[in-house]
Amino acid sequence: MSAVKERGKTKNTEVAKGFVYGLRTGTPIAFGYIPSAVACGILCKTAGLTAFESLFMSLVVFAGASQFVALNLIVIGSSIPEIVLATAVLNMRHVMMSSSIARRLVPGIGALKKSWICFELTDESFSIASMQREDLLAPEFMFGLNIVGHFTWVSGTVLGFYGTSVMPQNVQDSMGIALYALFIGLLLPSVRKSRPALVVAASGMALSAFIKWTPCFADLNRGIAIMTATGLAALIGALLFPLDKRMGRP
């Protein structure tokens, strides 16, 4: 715990630190990755990738939704520029998540550490890090939080690649929804305890549904749609629940 000065007052600032603490915090979401990682491995084999290519993709890309989109584009014969552009736009939300987490990191972290933390950030680890009760996050904590999920995703991909021959087809088909269930499980406890979180989450869902079902937005890229809904929901939260007001400042 450290002390910082705020408007002439000394305030104790709690820091989430420790690699092992990060591992313990990230282990539950890592277990939730297993079904989707296995599904990713199955799709990799279906798309004609080798075991090494499948492993390398999960190691370097490490983005469930983007990997599934890229693999589907490979299956239908899309060109490399099309695949790169589609996955890049879909992952634009990571710019917003990385910017948000960067504000919570302890001061003085080098660019290389920040880049690695942001590279390994996922929707689920971002949610967990954002909901930490501590004011600041140490890099060792973030490394532990992220690495357990990354290792599980890569291992699950390899397992799915080699396990396609022994899994029933209905089991293989059901694994694709696991990430959605995991994210909902992470979101519900937060919105039950926080009115701002509930309003922002509800606004994001409403805006996403509006964009999806409005005819003039029917052809809007999925990544841009996610970014638009997320940005507008965050703006609504910032206007309705200013930070100074929530922290009891004048």
Side-chain angles (χ1 to χ4, degrees), residues 4 6 11 13-16 94-110 113-115 117-118 121 126 129-132 134-139 142 234-235 237-239 241-244 246-247 249:
V4 295
E6 181 185 353
K11 176 188 174 183
T13 304
E14 293 186 335
V15 180
H94 286 271
V95 176
M96 301 178 70
M97 294 193 299
S98 299
S99 300
S100 177
I101 286 297
R103 298 180 59 200
R104 294 280 304 275
L105 296 174
V106 295
I109 299 178
K113 285 186 177 181
K114 280 186 178 180
S115 299
I117 290 170
C118 294
L121 204 63
F126 168 75
S130 299
M131 292 187 289
Q132 284 298 119
E134 293 86 355
D135 302 296
L136 298 175
L137 308 169
M142 291 301 301
L235 178 61
L239 292 174
F241 307 99
L243 184 60
D244 286 349
R246 284 186 280 130
M247 298 185 68
R249 297 175 192 167

Side-chain angles (χ1 to χ4, degrees), residues 106-154:
V106 295
I109 299 178
L112 185 61
K113 285 186 177 181
K114 280 186 178 180
S115 299
W116 185 254
I117 290 170
C118 294
F119 163 72
E120 290 206 312
L121 204 63
T122 65
D123 296 323
E124 294 77 25
S125 63
F126 168 75
S127 299
I128 291 293
S130 299
M131 292 187 289
Q132 284 298 119
R133 60 178 179 79
E134 293 86 355
D135 302 296
L136 298 175
L137 308 169
E140 294 78 13
F141 169 81
M142 291 301 301
F143 292 150
L145 174 65
N146 288 329
I147 197 67
V148 65
H150 199 168
F151 176 79
T152 303
W153 184 263
V154 173

Side-chain angles (χ1 to χ4, degrees), residues 16 18 22 29 35 72 80 95 138 147-148 160 167 170 195 209 213 243:
I29 63 173
N72 279 291
I80 292 178
V95 176
I147 197 67
V148 65
M167 289 184 183
N170 59 343
R195 186 184 174 194
W213 291 325
L243 184 60

